[in-house]
Amino acid sequence: MFAILTVAKRAAPIAASSVRALTRVSAVRTYSSRILPTAAGASGGHSKLTVSSDACRELQTSATLHSIIPYKLADIGEGITECEIIQWYVKPGDKVSQFDKICEVASDKATVEITSRYDGVIRKLHYQDNDIALVGKPIVDIEIDNPDTQSAEPAADSGAELTSNPAQSLPSNDTEPTVELADSVPKNFAVDRTSDVVYATPAVRRVARENNVDLHYVAGSGKGGRILKEDVLRFIELQKSSTAPGVTADLQKSSTAPVDKIREPNTVDQPFVQANASSTAPGISLSSASAVITGEDQLVSLSPIQRAMFKSMTDSLGIPHFRFKDEIELDALIQARQRINKYLAEQNGEVTKMTYMPFFVKAASLALTKYPILNARVVAEAGAPPKLQFRASHNIGVAMDTPGGLIVPNIKNVQTKSLMDIAAELGALAQRGRSGAIGSADLRGGTFTLSNVGMIGGTYLSPVLVDSEVCIGAIGKVQRLPRFETVEIDSRPVERVVPRHILVTSWSADHRVVDGATMARFAVLYKKLLEHPEIMLANMK
């Protein structure tokens, strides 16, 4: 069977080379042996070519020049070499314009939206959701019109040229089927998909993935329809109970109900906000522990934050740590904080409540001014003797347990800030941490770290250094304990037992450059500043 190709030319039979000059061939082959010239047609003097059906399938004609550009994942800085694909905003066949959102990726530093540089049509997605994309490698193929008018990227070795398989070059009308796990579709099939684009943080997506939930069916109660962790937990509970009478009919209606008792306790006013959501099983109570034992083992990939923690803690094994712990009485600081909060309640300003953390951070900065070696870093280059870099800025990091995992943003130039300034920045960091909006600038340049693990629990701790710092502190929980106090009664010293609020601080230092005496003097000064807040206030600038 033959196909008829009509070429608009008022001439007698033409050669096959003229046809190739007017058409775009998807594969470099010779068709002269398959093309047979015939007499000109009667209508309009058009000439006709008889082409075999095999050759017709191997030819691709186009009135306009097209080019498929492999769009690469650009270097987003900070030494990042890979990112996790959080979600796609496009699918093959979609038309995109410049600056349209293509996908959302997450690294160990931040979450970034990737936008298009071209006007064209999406032809291929190189990764699926939750895949790890490499920087500098194509993430999507875009077919663009008039490539000369758009700035194309340098062609990569793989995928830059048209494929030598003609069948793959031809556009297909068949849509690629969507593969979903059976359990991810709600048992109540009356529930409609909420949207083709899902707005959720990586932590929420992890919870959904661990519980086999398709987020397209979950109604978000957050700002702009963003899906929160509580929405996923509520959806899971509704699916578990959907077999009960009367529940199925109310499933979609209940999915937008306000959250009250489901929400976990969240002490967001402190830098260490809550237990790590990625390391706990959501929605599982202690009473249902037997169900966990009978479950199946799972092998999951590390999240971007976990991969960064894995690397940094592995590097920390080469640092010889030594520990120092001390007790601090906080009764005077508690009274000072109460008076400050009473004042703030009357002002209705940006900061409405002062936590203990601004005092801890500022006291550390004042002590670092006297012992600057604890704010330094070790510079050890291959082939050169090690050196110490003394840093002028006190960029104090605060360990923050966000829904996405443990991160350590830092407050820049604490030495120049007041308690109110520090409290305002801590509040802003906590807010960005809850929404997954901590940027790379917040994580970069830390010189000293404090971890307030006591918000969760624990008294005596052993924090681990990172290779860019030589000292780190951990703050335990405050306890009301009995202590001896000496008072004068009838001009005679008498000892008595009194209640005191005791805080235990745990310090770790790099023993390659920091000696025990320096660490002890720093800890003693830090204790004095917190036990006597007036001394701290007197030394502020």
Side-chain angles (χ1 to χ4, degrees):
M1 182 177 182
F2 296 96
I4 305 301
L5 175 65
T6 302
V7 181
K9 184 174 182 182
R10 298 178 179 274
I14 62 176
S17 59
S18 301
V19 177
R20 289 196 298 271
L22 297 175
T23 61
R24 184 180 181 184
V25 184
S26 62
V28 181
R29 293 188 179 181
T30 303
Y31 299 97
S32 57
S33 61
R34 299 185 182 183
I35 303 177
L36 303 176
T38 62
S43 60
H46 291 185
S47 61
K48 296 184 178 180
L49 290 177
T50 303
V51 185
S52 67
S53 59
D54 292 339
C56 182
R57 284 195 298 269
E58 293 177 346
L59 282 172
Q60 181 180 8
T61 62
S62 175
T64 308
L65 289 177
H66 295 271
S67 178
I68 295 181
I69 300 297
Y71 189 58
K72 301 176 183 177
L73 179 60
D75 185 1
I76 57 180
E78 294 297 309
I80 295 172
T81 59
E82 61 184 18
C83 295
E84 180 181 1
I85 301 293
I86 300 302
Q87 65 174 328
W88 288 101
Y89 297 114
V90 296
K91 59 183 180 297
D94 285 355
K95 292 184 177 181
V96 294
S97 301
Q98 295 185 43
F99 307 110
D100 284 353
K101 292 188 293 185
I102 293 180
C103 64
E104 182 181 16
V105 300
S107 68
D108 57 343
K109 302 292 185 181
T111 300
V112 180
E113 288 182 341
I114 305 298
T115 58
S116 174
R117 290 176 50 193
Y118 310 105
D119 300 330
V121 179
I122 301 297
R123 288 306 178 198
K124 179 181 178 181
L125 305 182
H126 287 267
Y127 300 96
Q128 302 297 322
D129 288 352
N130 307 314
D131 284 352
I132 302 300
L134 300 179
V135 171
K137 298 297 183 181
I139 58 173
V140 65
D141 289 348
I142 304 178
E143 181 179 358
I144 62 176
D145 299 337
N146 300 324
D148 293 338
T149 64
Q150 302 192 49
S151 58
E153 295 177 328
D157 293 338
S158 59
E161 297 180 353
L162 293 175
T163 175
S164 59
N165 186 351
Q168 294 179 358
S169 300
L170 294 174
S172 173
N173 292 329
D174 297 332
T175 58
E176 184 178 352
T178 301
V179 179
E180 294 183 356
L181 296 175
D183 293 342
S184 65
V185 180
K187 299 175 183 177
N188 175 19
F189 291 96
V191 178
D192 297 328
R193 291 167 64 96
T194 57
S195 174
D196 288 333
V197 178
V198 173
Y199 296 98
T201 63
V204 173
R205 293 177 181 278
R206 185 180 301 108
V207 172
R209 187 164 61 249
E210 291 172 350
N211 290 274
N212 217 15
V213 172
D214 187 348
L215 290 177
H216 290 93
Y217 294 92
V218 180
S221 61
K223 183 178 180 181
R226 183 174 291 271
I227 298 175
L228 307 178
K229 176 184 174 183
E230 291 77 14
D231 299 328
V232 178
L233 297 180
R234 181 171 54 247
F235 183 86
I236 294 170
E237 292 300 322
L238 290 173
Q239 288 302 304
K240 289 180 180 178
S241 59
S242 61
T243 56
V247 174
T248 303
D250 297 334
L251 179 60
Q252 187 174 7
K253 180 179 179 181
S254 301
S255 64
T256 57
V259 179
D260 46 13
K261 297 183 180 179
I262 297 179
R263 186 180 299 274
E264 298 178 358
N266 190 5
T267 55
V268 297
D269 56 340
Q270 295 289 352
F272 217 101
V273 290
Q274 60 181 9
N276 191 344
S278 63
S279 61
T280 58
I284 298 180
S285 61
L286 294 177
S287 61
S288 62
S290 59
V292 179
I293 299 175
T294 59
E296 296 181 357
D297 295 344
Q298 292 183 345
L299 184 64
V300 298
S301 301
L302 297 181
S303 69
I305 291 179
Q306 287 173 325
R307 289 197 300 272
M309 185 166 59
F310 183 92
K311 181 181 182 301
S312 62
M313 292 297 99
T314 302
D315 295 340
S316 296
L317 293 175
I319 302 175
H321 290 56
F322 79 92
R323 323 286 182 181
F324 187 93
K325 306 180 190 299
D326 200 2
E327 290 185 355
I328 301 176
E329 292 187 6
L330 291 185
D331 294 85
L333 181 62
I334 291 174
Q335 296 176 8
R337 174 177 171 265
Q338 290 174 347
R339 290 191 291 268
I340 292 175
N341 282 336
K342 183 178 179 181
Y343 165 78
L344 294 176
E346 300 171 351
Q347 300 303 311
N348 295 324
E350 179 182 2
V351 179
T352 58
K353 182 180 180 181
M354 182 79 68
T355 65
Y356 292 108
M357 200 63 190
F359 295 96
F360 298 157
V361 171
K362 188 62 182 180
S365 177
L366 293 174
L368 288 174
T369 302
K370 188 171 182 61
Y371 300 99
I373 190 175
L374 298 180
N375 195 55
R377 69 185 294 257
V378 176
V379 179
E381 299 178 353
K387 299 179 181 179
L388 269 179
Q389 179 185 4
F390 285 82
R391 296 177 284 195
S393 297
H394 296 171
N395 300 338
I396 298 182
V398 286
M400 184 176 293
D401 189 26
T402 69
L406 181 67
I407 59 177
V408 188
N410 60 80
I411 303 173
K412 303 291 193 296
N413 298 310
V414 176
Q415 77 278 6
T416 65
K417 289 180 168 59
S418 67
L419 289 172
M420 298 290 289
D421 296 333
I422 298 171
E425 290 205 28
L426 284 173
L429 287 175
Q431 179 64 31
R432 292 200 295 273
R434 289 194 301 270
S435 60
I438 294 290
S440 60
D442 297 321
L443 302 168
R444 185 172 55 243
T447 63
F448 187 91
T449 298
L450 284 177
S451 178
N452 189 7
V453 189
M455 289 301 302
I456 298 175
T459 304
Y460 300 98
L461 309 162
S462 296
V464 181
L465 285 166
V466 293
D467 57 5
S468 60
E469 299 175 6
V470 299
C471 187
I472 182 175
I475 299 168
K477 64 181 179 181
V478 178
Q479 302 178 89
R480 195 165 184 262
L481 301 173
R483 290 294 183 266
F484 285 103
E485 179 185 63
T486 301
V487 297
E488 286 191 3
I489 298 179
D490 297 332
S491 301
R492 291 184 301 111
V494 177
E495 284 190 340
R496 62 180 183 181
V497 177
V498 295
R500 289 286 184 262
H501 291 86
I502 303 300
L503 171 73
V504 175
T505 55
S506 303
W507 305 98
S508 295
D510 187 342
H511 216 343
R512 296 175 300 177
V513 294
V514 179
D515 56 61
T518 302
M519 186 73 256
R521 293 187 180 98
F522 172 89
V524 169
L525 177 57
Y526 186 80
K527 174 179 180 177
K528 180 180 293 185
L529 293 172
L530 292 179
E531 289 186 343
H532 305 280
E534 65 275 9
I535 298 179
M536 184 194 308
L537 297 176
N539 283 275
M540 288 185 185
K541 297 180 180 180

